[in-house]
Amino acid sequence: MTPSPFISKLKPFFSIAEIVCVVGFVLGFLLKKQDYPIGGEIVMLSLSALAGIYFLSAYLPPDARPEGEPDQRLGFMSLLGRTIAPKVLGIGSAVVVIGILFTLNHFEGSKQMLTIGIATIGGASLVGSVSIATNENARRVLGSLLLRAFPLLLIGVYLLWNLPSDN
């Protein structure tokens, strides 16, 4: 049995850290809207940490073969659903979160970050949906990732649609 990589040891803390980052973002955003100077720093810290969590979660090793699955090659659709799509969704989610951060802080490049992240999440969601329809194990792996990525996709599209043209 090979030892698990360091990132696997952090996996139990990802969901807790994600909740803390989202709550921190909401608090920071409310403080920023009330013109408190600390609000911008809280928003930047929480969104940066959330993007880091999404990026690192993309590099989690795929789950081991489930019990009862035959010991044969899994095929291309299984590779897409269990390995490639989760990685692309995690990286795309991190890019959209950084694009949201750039948009809220009026940094240059926010439109490009949102466009790249939206395209990545959209493509991975399509591939993941096809994989979910054909493979039960992909449904288990991709279900929660799609539930996280789809709201980010919608927020990114909204922000991209409402960005001024000079940004």
Side-chain angles (χ1 to χ4, degrees):
M1 181 174 195
T2 62
S4 63
F6 178 71
I7 195 82
S8 296
K9 294 177 184 173
L10 294 177
K11 183 180 180 179
F13 302 109
F14 281 167
S15 60
I16 296 168
E18 184 178 3
I19 292 170
V20 168
C21 289
V22 170
V23 169
F25 167 70
V26 170
L27 177 68
F29 187 74
L30 292 174
L31 289 173
K32 186 176 179 177
K33 285 296 178 188
Q34 295 296 322
D35 293 327
Y36 287 104
I38 191 83
E41 284 83 14
I42 294 174
V43 165
M44 186 173 291
L45 181 66
S46 61
L47 285 180
S48 298
L50 187 62
I53 291 167
Y54 286 152
F55 185 78
L56 289 175
S57 68
Y59 289 98
L60 286 171
D63 294 335
R65 177 174 288 132
E67 292 295 323
E69 189 170 304
D71 192 22
Q72 61 185 5
R73 299 183 74 187
L74 296 176
F76 183 68
M77 286 306 289
S78 183
L79 175 69
L80 272 176
R82 290 176 57 187
T83 306
I84 296 172
K87 290 183 185 317
V88 173
L89 278 172
I91 293 169
S93 297
V95 171
V96 169
V97 169
I98 294 297
I100 293 169
L101 175 65
F102 278 25
T103 302
L104 292 176
N105 289 325
H106 307 289
F107 294 154
E108 287 186 30
S110 61
K111 192 175 231 177
Q112 290 84 2
M113 293 292 284
L114 287 172
T115 303
I116 292 168
I118 289 168
T120 304
I121 289 177
S125 296
L126 287 175
V127 169
S129 298
V130 169
S131 181
I132 282 175
T134 60
N135 190 343
E136 178 67 32
N137 293 326
R139 186 175 302 130
R140 183 179 45 81
V141 172
L142 284 173
S144 63
L145 292 174
L146 286 172
L147 287 176
R148 288 184 187 133
F150 192 69
L152 285 174
L153 176 72
L154 294 178
I155 292 168
V157 167
Y158 174 78
L159 288 175
L160 191 60
W161 190 272
N162 291 321
L163 272 178
S165 61
D166 62 340
N167 193 0

